[in-house]
Amino acid sequence: MEPPVRLASTGTIIHGVSVGEVLGVSTLAGARLIAGESGLGRIVQRLNVMEVPDILAWVKPHELLLTTGYPLRNTPQSLGRLVADLDERGLAALAIKLGRYVDELPDEMVEQADRLGFPLILLPNDVGFDDILNQVLTDILNRQAAVLARAEEAHRALVQVVLAGGGLNEVTAEVAQLLDVSVAAVDGTGRVLATAGPAEHVAVLRESIAHEGPPASPSPGLVRSFAAVPVLAGGHHHGRIVAYSPSGAIRDSDVGILERAATVAALVVTRQEAVNAVESKYRADFLRDVLTGRAGTAERVTSRARAFGWNLARPVTVLVAELDPDGDERSAQDRLVACWTAAIRRHDPQGAVAGFSHEVVAVVDASLDAARVAKDAASAFADLPPATFSTGTSRPSPGAEMLPEAYSQALKAARVGRQLHGPGAVAHFDQLGVYRLLSLVNDTDELHAFVRETLGPLASDDDAENADLRRTLQVLLETNLNVAETARRLHFHYNTLRYRIGKLERLLGNFTDDPHLRLNLTLALHVLRMRGI
């Protein structure tokens, strides 16, 4: 797995020197490492002096602890446990003077230090703790100042990139040059938006991102091969900046610069989102005018559409995707637009797509398989929190002047398809059959009156027996009054069905002998199937 994404710096001292580098300062020229060589990469950020036996209550992580052994002079047996306790608290190393209060370190203590990789340092007797404190702390603070100055210089360079109008390509290029690494900007879905660095190194970086990140670096010291920081803006996670160095030379100070780059990248992303929002509004307004017949002549529509990269001068099909009820419409609508935009980009780069307040409308090449496009968008939408949409498809439209009619067809197909088949339906206007004709009746009150007049008490579900009789009537009409087949489908005895037919005719009229009445009953049942009408 990829190393955990590092959060923003807190402003405290986060840099230091390794134990190995501490041993190189002039005051420790006579010091000797007696155990824990594998821990020389541990970081020293502060120093402390052991003056009391209960030192464990006062130590902090990344400390170099200095002692003469005075607090342990009467309890040398406690030295054996001291290394494990200090290592558990994250200390960097223990430096001790021998001969005055403690003559030698127990073998158990040395063995444990080697096993834990916890450096034990033997200090020369002629070196004062104040000299060590002064020189090592000065080295740490100088290094911290240098790191901060470098980070500030990098920040100014990155901000200048943005002020000059640069985007993620320019930001990643600047970071790659500053740190001599390969860099990628990745969005929240894992899609690589921009890269910089040698091609072969970028290829490794892309592969690691595609496989959900490289394995963790084997040594968690100062350097690593990969590093990632989040791109955050307005409380939203917009992705991350990922860096790769084949030599494993990414240091903590470099990660600090990556954090600055992530802040600048957040500015770029939010700026682009603002631009995209304005462009999306213009596209949506124009497409709405086209679909409602208010955009002008066909020539004007074709010309303006070409400026958006749309080709409306060819035979096209209109698709309408409408969110099904009971979903979180505020969040789902934006995701619906994004999924359909991506699907249209894959299937028809010259197709038009825009989000309206409650729906997404796409105008695509008439030769495309509209059901496949809808399935592609639905697959992406299904990966997100629960919500569904219904899709309607129009007849092919020969040109821009016929798009208002095609839009009306697609909208009816989406709504009638949902009424007939439930949420997530995909319906073509030509496949609606008689429901297409019923959908053209704008006066729904008239349809309700027709159902009540035709079905009488069977139009209501208030009585369970009425619903049961309506089901019997529906199957009878579907089988063309075949009593034996109807009895088989409903699992009734033949005589029971005969009794029910008599009861239906007393309620509805002699429909077994009246084809016109049967037609009216069939249409009334179809209207009832159109849920929500």
Side-chain angles (χ1 to χ4, degrees), residues 12 17 25 29 90 97 142 163 171 193 219 223 293 306 351 372 377 390 399 420:
T12 58
V17 295
V25 301
K97 288 184 178 183
N142 286 341
L163 293 178
V171 170
L193 303 176
S219 57
V223 296
R306 194 178 296 115
R372 183 181 175 189
S390 296
L420 295 176

mmCIF file of all heavy atoms in Angstrom, residues 12 17 25 29 90 97 142 163 171 193 219 223 293 306 351 372 377 390 399 420:
data_model
loop_
_atom_site.group_PDB
_atom_site.id
_atom_site.type_symbol
_atom_site.label_atom_id
_atom_site.label_comp_id
_atom_site.label_asym_id
_atom_site.label_seq_id
_atom_site.Cartn_x
_atom_site.Cartn_y
_atom_site.Cartn_z
ATOM 1 N N THR A 12 5.434 23.613 13.891
ATOM 2 C CA THR A 12 6.467 23.289 14.862
ATOM 3 C C THR A 12 7.688 22.772 14.130
ATOM 4 O O THR A 12 7.667 22.562 12.921
ATOM 5 C CB THR A 12 5.958 22.226 15.842
ATOM 6 O OG1 THR A 12 5.580 21.068 15.085
ATOM 7 C CG2 THR A 12 4.745 22.726 16.600
ATOM 8 N N VAL A 17 18.311 16.382 12.653
ATOM 9 C CA VAL A 17 19.496 15.722 12.111
ATOM 10 C C VAL A 17 19.470 14.277 12.563
ATOM 11 O O VAL A 17 18.904 13.944 13.618
ATOM 12 C CB VAL A 17 20.789 16.422 12.569
ATOM 13 C CG1 VAL A 17 20.865 17.831 12.006
ATOM 14 C CG2 VAL A 17 20.880 16.453 14.091
ATOM 15 N N VAL A 25 29.479 15.944 14.684
ATOM 16 C CA VAL A 25 29.795 17.303 15.142
ATOM 17 C C VAL A 25 31.099 17.278 15.922
ATOM 18 O O VAL A 25 31.503 16.261 16.501
ATOM 19 C CB VAL A 25 28.649 17.888 15.997
ATOM 20 C CG1 VAL A 25 27.354 17.924 15.209
ATOM 21 C CG2 VAL A 25 28.467 17.099 17.289
ATOM 22 N N ALA A 29 33.573 14.376 18.640
ATOM 23 C CA ALA A 29 34.594 13.702 17.833
ATOM 24 C C ALA A 29 35.137 12.473 18.544
ATOM 25 O O ALA A 29 35.512 11.472 17.921
ATOM 26 C CB ALA A 29 35.731 14.669 17.508
ATOM 27 N N GLY A 90 9.810 6.602 21.707
ATOM 28 C CA GLY A 90 10.229 7.249 20.467
ATOM 29 C C GLY A 90 11.509 8.047 20.555
ATOM 30 O O GLY A 90 11.759 8.902 19.678
ATOM 31 N N LYS A 97 27.977 8.951 29.874
ATOM 32 C CA LYS A 97 29.374 8.990 30.314
ATOM 33 C C LYS A 97 29.583 7.873 31.339
ATOM 34 O O LYS A 97 28.820 7.759 32.309
ATOM 35 C CB LYS A 97 29.707 10.335 30.944
ATOM 36 C CG LYS A 97 29.800 11.482 29.974
ATOM 37 C CD LYS A 97 30.244 12.752 30.696
ATOM 38 C CE LYS A 97 30.387 13.921 29.732
ATOM 39 N NZ LYS A 97 30.879 15.136 30.408
ATOM 40 N N ASN A 142 19.664 25.702 12.549
ATOM 41 C CA ASN A 142 20.165 26.179 11.256
ATOM 42 C C ASN A 142 19.551 25.384 10.115
ATOM 43 O O ASN A 142 19.196 25.930 9.071
ATOM 44 C CB ASN A 142 21.686 26.084 11.206
ATOM 45 C CG ASN A 142 22.356 27.153 12.051
ATOM 46 O OD1 ASN A 142 21.733 28.163 12.400
ATOM 47 N ND2 ASN A 142 23.624 26.944 12.387
ATOM 48 N N LEU A 163 -0.050 32.881 -10.696
ATOM 49 C CA LEU A 163 -0.319 34.274 -11.063
ATOM 50 C C LEU A 163 -0.089 34.507 -12.554
ATOM 51 O O LEU A 163 -0.709 35.388 -13.156
ATOM 52 C CB LEU A 163 0.569 35.212 -10.239
ATOM 53 C CG LEU A 163 0.278 35.260 -8.735
ATOM 54 C CD1 LEU A 163 1.259 36.180 -8.028
ATOM 55 C CD2 LEU A 163 -1.157 35.714 -8.485
ATOM 56 N N VAL A 171 2.390 23.575 -12.648
ATOM 57 C CA VAL A 171 2.704 23.342 -11.231
ATOM 58 C C VAL A 171 3.537 22.078 -11.072
ATOM 59 O O VAL A 171 4.554 22.071 -10.368
ATOM 60 C CB VAL A 171 1.406 23.243 -10.401
ATOM 61 C CG1 VAL A 171 1.713 22.765 -8.979
ATOM 62 C CG2 VAL A 171 0.701 24.591 -10.353
ATOM 63 N N LEU A 193 -4.124 13.855 -13.817
ATOM 64 C CA LEU A 193 -4.463 15.092 -14.522
ATOM 65 C C LEU A 193 -3.246 15.745 -15.170
ATOM 66 O O LEU A 193 -3.385 16.411 -16.198
ATOM 67 C CB LEU A 193 -5.108 16.084 -13.554
ATOM 68 C CG LEU A 193 -6.370 15.596 -12.821
ATOM 69 C CD1 LEU A 193 -6.839 16.656 -11.828
ATOM 70 C CD2 LEU A 193 -7.475 15.268 -13.815
ATOM 71 N N SER A 219 12.432 1.465 4.682
ATOM 72 C CA SER A 219 13.059 2.180 5.795
ATOM 73 C C SER A 219 12.373 3.519 5.993
ATOM 74 O O SER A 219 12.414 4.380 5.124
ATOM 75 C CB SER A 219 14.550 2.411 5.512
ATOM 76 O OG SER A 219 14.711 3.127 4.302
ATOM 77 N N VAL A 223 14.542 9.437 4.100
ATOM 78 C CA VAL A 223 14.282 9.445 2.668
ATOM 79 C C VAL A 223 13.314 8.333 2.303
ATOM 80 O O VAL A 223 13.131 7.364 3.029
ATOM 81 C CB VAL A 223 15.596 9.278 1.871
ATOM 82 C CG1 VAL A 223 16.515 10.452 2.107
ATOM 83 C CG2 VAL A 223 16.285 7.966 2.239
ATOM 84 N N GLY A 293 -36.758 25.660 -28.760
ATOM 85 C CA GLY A 293 -37.026 26.392 -29.992
ATOM 86 C C GLY A 293 -36.798 27.879 -29.905
ATOM 87 O O GLY A 293 -37.325 28.633 -30.734
ATOM 88 N N ARG A 306 -21.105 24.750 -32.783
ATOM 89 C CA ARG A 306 -19.740 24.409 -33.197
ATOM 90 C C ARG A 306 -18.715 25.069 -32.268
ATOM 91 O O ARG A 306 -17.650 24.505 -32.011
ATOM 92 C CB ARG A 306 -19.528 24.850 -34.646
ATOM 93 C CG ARG A 306 -18.273 24.254 -35.286
ATOM 94 C CD ARG A 306 -18.134 24.670 -36.736
ATOM 95 N NE ARG A 306 -19.234 24.143 -37.532
ATOM 96 C CZ ARG A 306 -20.146 24.889 -38.134
ATOM 97 N NH1 ARG A 306 -20.102 26.214 -38.021
ATOM 98 N NH2 ARG A 306 -21.109 24.343 -38.837
ATOM 99 N N GLY A 351 -20.784 15.156 -29.364
ATOM 100 C CA GLY A 351 -22.133 15.203 -28.822
ATOM 101 C C GLY A 351 -22.287 16.328 -27.818
ATOM 102 O O GLY A 351 -21.335 16.761 -27.173
ATOM 103 N N ARG A 372 -26.719 1.650 -24.935
ATOM 104 C CA ARG A 372 -25.355 1.380 -24.462
ATOM 105 C C ARG A 372 -24.769 2.610 -23.780
ATOM 106 O O ARG A 372 -24.077 2.494 -22.761
ATOM 107 C CB ARG A 372 -24.488 0.968 -25.647
ATOM 108 C CG ARG A 372 -23.061 0.594 -25.267
ATOM 109 C CD ARG A 372 -22.260 0.219 -26.492
ATOM 110 N NE ARG A 372 -20.867 -0.035 -26.157
ATOM 111 C CZ ARG A 372 -19.913 -0.214 -27.054
ATOM 112 N NH1 ARG A 372 -20.210 -0.188 -28.348
ATOM 113 N NH2 ARG A 372 -18.676 -0.432 -26.681
ATOM 114 N N ALA A 377 -23.240 5.297 -18.589
ATOM 115 C CA ALA A 377 -23.414 6.338 -17.573
ATOM 116 C C ALA A 377 -23.954 5.746 -16.278
ATOM 117 O O ALA A 377 -23.530 6.125 -15.182
ATOM 118 C CB ALA A 377 -24.341 7.431 -18.087
ATOM 119 N N SER A 390 -33.770 7.437 -14.582
ATOM 120 C CA SER A 390 -34.439 6.828 -15.724
ATOM 121 C C SER A 390 -34.057 7.598 -16.982
ATOM 122 O O SER A 390 -33.872 8.812 -16.946
ATOM 123 C CB SER A 390 -35.957 6.839 -15.535
ATOM 124 O OG SER A 390 -36.310 6.041 -14.415
ATOM 125 N N GLY A 399 -32.203 17.217 -37.985
ATOM 126 C CA GLY A 399 -31.469 18.474 -37.886
ATOM 127 C C GLY A 399 -31.865 19.251 -36.659
ATOM 128 O O GLY A 399 -32.740 18.850 -35.888
ATOM 129 N N LEU A 420 -43.877 2.802 -15.985
ATOM 130 C CA LEU A 420 -44.170 1.426 -16.369
ATOM 131 C C LEU A 420 -43.237 0.422 -15.704
ATOM 132 O O LEU A 420 -43.668 -0.654 -15.275
ATOM 133 C CB LEU A 420 -44.075 1.263 -17.890
ATOM 134 C CG LEU A 420 -45.096 2.029 -18.725
ATOM 135 C CD1 LEU A 420 -44.820 1.837 -20.207
ATOM 136 C CD2 LEU A 420 -46.503 1.554 -18.385
#
